[in-house]
Amino acid sequence: MSNSHGNDLPILSAVSSSARQLFQLLRCISFGPKAEVLITKEGLRFTVEESRVMQGLAFLNKALFTTYNYTPIVDSTSNNHDEADNDEPPAFQISLPALLETLQIFGVSDTKDRWSSREMGVTSSFSRGGPAAAFDNRVLDVSGVCRISYPAVGAPLCIILEEKGVTTTCELVTYKPEIQDEIPLQRDRLAQKIIMRSSWLYDAITELSSTSPTRLTITASPSAPFFTLSSNGDLGSATVEFSKDSLLLESFQIPRRTVNTYKFSLIKSASRAMAIASKVSIRGDEQGVLNLQFMIEVEGGAFSFVEFRFVPFIPELGDDDGDGEEDDGDFDALDVD
């Protein structure tokens, strides 16, 4: 198959010696039904969005693949033939549950712990949770060779898995991209920057979950208490405080006190990344946009990064806890155009 501009080479052709690490990274952002995929010469970028108030991003660097060949789309009608870098990288959407199902198709099944995908009408065989779920033996069995190809714009994403002489070919339907832009983080106007062990953040969120909270308030201050996570919900309120000890907070840059509130369920959606990451960078800008960047160790001792961004509640409208979709009206709808 040739691409839309007559090039016989596929836009993407990549081979990974282990589907496991791809599965683990993409599973971290599996809070939405569809993921937008951006193909670049440096790797594959997967983005999942929730109601314009949360975004999760996983970048599969080309170093994760034993072979990674990207052929840019060159417009034959253009007079500029110098470099293809000027052309916009191809983007599309795919069903994330379908992709995860494909990547762990050789995984060991456990009939007692399955979740179903309404969108596909199939059953998945990986465990729901726990901080060690990503390293469960059933998941670690996902070790087959994975070949990924994207022949042309609008074509299905083809994934070929090979293990012990068994070959499975899956073609995933691709859709037009819908995510307009990233939730903006003003890196030149950061109000907080903290680096800590990810497991401690995971433990704190897990403990706060016991009160069935609807909101999470993050307070950072140059004086004690330095870093505080507070939640409140129908069953009460709870607070977890972190001291400024370098054994707890590897880096702590807080010029002034900040207080921002977020929807708890959205923060908890990042718990898979919290559970398997070694470190987390917690950044927030002056508008209250929260950025969680997780450093995750992959095979060979290398590291990959999974990132989340959250829009805060508007303080003036933060007194009313609505249910369902009405909650979205309490968020600061930042202009990202």
Side-chain angles (χ1 to χ4, degrees):
M1 179 184 292
S2 62
N3 64 33
S4 59
H5 295 290
N7 194 332
D8 291 332
L9 295 176
I11 295 175
L12 172 70
S13 177
V15 179
S16 173
S17 59
S18 173
R20 177 184 65 198
Q21 56 189 0
L22 307 183
F23 174 85
Q24 288 179 351
L25 292 171
L26 293 177
R27 191 186 181 197
C28 291
I29 59 171
S30 60
F31 58 87
K34 288 186 179 180
E36 181 166 306
V37 185
L38 182 68
I39 304 174
T40 73
K41 63 181 180 180
E42 298 300 327
L44 299 174
R45 172 184 168 131
F46 291 77
T47 304
V48 180
E49 183 178 89
E50 174 65 33
S51 303
R52 300 282 289 169
V53 295
M54 174 187 180
Q55 286 180 347
L57 187 153
F59 184 69
L60 305 185
N61 192 286
K62 64 180 182 181
L64 294 175
F65 300 89
T66 54
T67 302
Y68 186 90
N69 295 316
Y70 167 55
T71 304
I73 303 173
V74 179
D75 190 348
S76 59
T77 63
S78 174
N79 293 326
N80 184 7
H81 299 287
D82 295 335
E83 291 289 340
D85 292 341
N86 295 326
D87 291 282
E88 184 177 353
F92 54 87
Q93 281 196 344
I94 59 171
S95 167
L96 186 55
L99 177 59
L100 292 175
E101 277 289 336
T102 301
L103 291 176
Q104 56 89 61
I105 201 166
F106 288 126
V108 177
S109 173
D110 183 354
T111 58
K112 293 184 180 180
D113 190 11
R114 290 169 166 253
W115 61 278
S116 61
S117 172
R118 298 177 184 175
E119 192 174 67
M120 296 180 295
V122 297
T123 303
S124 169
S125 57
F126 62 82
S127 170
R128 271 185 180 273
F135 300 99
D136 188 278
N137 287 334
R138 289 171 293 167
V139 176
L140 294 180
D141 282 339
V142 184
S143 57
V145 174
C146 177
R147 303 178 186 274
I148 303 175
S149 65
Y150 184 56
V153 174
L157 182 69
C158 182
I159 298 180
I160 301 175
L161 293 169
E162 301 175 4
E163 183 181 22
K164 299 177 182 179
V166 178
T167 300
T168 301
T169 301
C170 301
E171 291 189 345
L172 303 181
V173 176
T174 57
Y175 308 90
K176 291 183 178 180
E178 296 178 0
I179 299 177
Q180 297 181 11
D181 209 340
E182 290 184 352
I183 294 176
L185 178 72
Q186 298 178 319
R187 291 183 174 86
D188 57 341
R189 300 178 63 185
L190 291 179
Q192 66 182 43
K193 185 176 180 181
I194 300 170
I195 298 177
M196 63 187 297
R197 284 180 56 178
S198 181
S199 60
W200 288 330
L201 179 61
Y202 177 86
D203 291 341
I205 295 298
T206 301
E207 185 163 338
L208 294 175
S209 299
S210 62
T211 61
S212 299
T214 56
R215 299 188 177 194
L216 176 71
T217 298
I218 300 178
T219 304
S221 172
S223 58
F226 298 99
F227 184 53
T228 303
L229 304 179
S230 304
S231 65
N232 55 84
D234 295 338
L235 300 182
S237 60
T239 300
V240 176
E241 294 183 359
F242 293 89
S243 70
K244 198 179 177 181
D245 192 320
S246 59
L247 295 178
L248 287 175
L249 305 180
E250 181 178 315
S251 177
F252 187 80
Q253 301 176 31
I254 309 295
R256 56 187 174 276
R257 187 173 185 269
T258 60
V259 181
N260 290 289
T261 301
Y262 308 89
K263 191 171 183 179
F264 189 89
S265 61
L266 296 183
I267 302 294
K268 193 176 180 181
S269 296
S271 59
R272 290 195 189 278
M274 295 180 199
I276 68 173
S278 55
K279 294 182 181 181
V280 56
S281 171
I282 305 171
R283 297 182 294 176
D285 64 17
E286 294 180 355
Q287 294 187 81
V289 173
L290 176 65
N291 176 264
L292 301 179
Q293 187 179 62
F294 296 94
M295 185 171 72
I296 300 174
E297 185 174 1
V298 294
E299 296 178 2
F303 292 92
S304 286
F305 294 89
V306 175
E307 183 176 327
F308 296 86
R309 292 186 184 182
F310 307 88
V311 175
F313 281 105
I314 300 176
E316 292 80 5
L317 302 179
D319 297 328
D320 182 20
D321 279 337
D323 293 326
E325 296 182 355
E326 293 181 359
D327 276 347
D328 295 342
D330 289 340
F331 286 98
D332 183 5
L334 299 177
D335 183 7
V336 296
D337 294 332

